[in-house]
Amino acid sequence: MPREKGEKVVATNRKARHDYLIEDTYEAGMVLSGTEVKSLRAGRASLVDGYAFIESGEAWLDAVHIPEYTAGTWTNHPPRRKRKLLLHKAEIIKISHKTKEGGYTLIPLKIYFSDGKAKVEIAVAKGKKEFDKRQTLRERQDKRESDRAISARRNLGD
């Protein structure tokens, strides 16, 4: 029986939703060393430059920064290293076909603990062009303004 229940988010990649158009998301386990788990439990990780890839039928996560555990000794891990992702074979094949199509990439969206086990949410995504990013910002701003107008109208009616 796990000690922890529920989900505890350690790190999120907010810039990914701005820079990429998310197609599919997958939950994957990670193969970690002991000091990496302790560092994650302390809430320390960065997904900024991280990416995932498929190599010889295995999924890997690279360039994700998990800093060294402060109380660790010579057993500490390197902060940026390749980490194996645990996915079902069918999911790996599906992701592999999608990324080979062209224009698609694998990016990590968040690292979290689910019932005490470290997980990463990866997404099959397509890079946005500059005008797409501006359009998304404009739509978000227009929606915010319309919500404000509706809210103000309701408050006047009271």
Side-chain angles (χ1 to χ4, degrees):
M1 189 156 143
R3 286 186 304 187
E4 301 174 16
K5 289 282 187 198
E7 187 175 294
K8 177 191 172 208
V9 177
V10 176
T12 57
N13 191 353
R14 289 177 289 184
K15 195 163 171 66
R17 297 203 186 268
H18 175 71
D19 290 342
Y20 296 95
L21 183 67
I22 310 292
E23 295 280 324
D24 291 325
T25 60
Y26 297 91
E27 179 184 69
M30 290 188 291
V31 177
L32 300 172
S33 67
T35 54
E36 285 176 317
V37 175
K38 289 181 179 191
S39 188
L40 283 177
R41 286 200 192 281
R44 301 172 64 212
S46 174
L47 297 173
V48 175
D49 296 329
Y51 64 96
F53 60 94
I54 308 291
E55 184 179 270
S56 63
E58 295 179 332
W60 295 89
L61 184 67
D62 200 6
V64 171
H65 187 265
I66 299 175
E68 290 184 344
Y69 183 55
T70 53
T73 57
W74 58 272
T75 58
N76 251 334
H77 62 278
R80 289 185 190 271
R81 70 171 184 92
K82 259 176 42 173
R83 294 169 178 93
K84 189 173 180 179
L85 296 179
L86 306 172
L87 288 162
H88 291 284
K89 199 67 167 175
E91 289 177 324
I92 292 175
I93 292 168
K94 187 189 257 187
I95 291 169
S96 179
H97 288 308
K98 195 73 168 171
T99 55
K100 284 181 183 170
E101 268 181 32
Y104 287 99
T105 187
L106 279 174
I107 53 167
L109 295 179
K110 68 179 176 178
I111 293 179
Y112 57 97
F113 283 99
S114 177
D115 293 335
K117 292 179 176 60
K119 305 280 185 182
V120 62
E121 183 179 25
I122 57 172
V124 176
K126 191 171 205 148
K128 282 186 183 177
K129 303 280 190 264
E130 193 63 37
F131 64 86
D132 288 336
K133 293 178 193 176
R134 285 195 297 265
Q135 174 115 17
T136 305
L137 286 173
R138 194 173 302 119
E139 287 171 2
R140 194 179 304 139
Q141 187 175 6
D142 290 345
K143 181 172 176 11
R144 194 177 298 132
E145 287 175 5
S146 66
D147 288 346
R148 276 193 199 127
I150 291 169
S151 175
R153 183 78 177 161
R154 277 197 201 119
N155 289 342
L156 288 176
D158 289 344

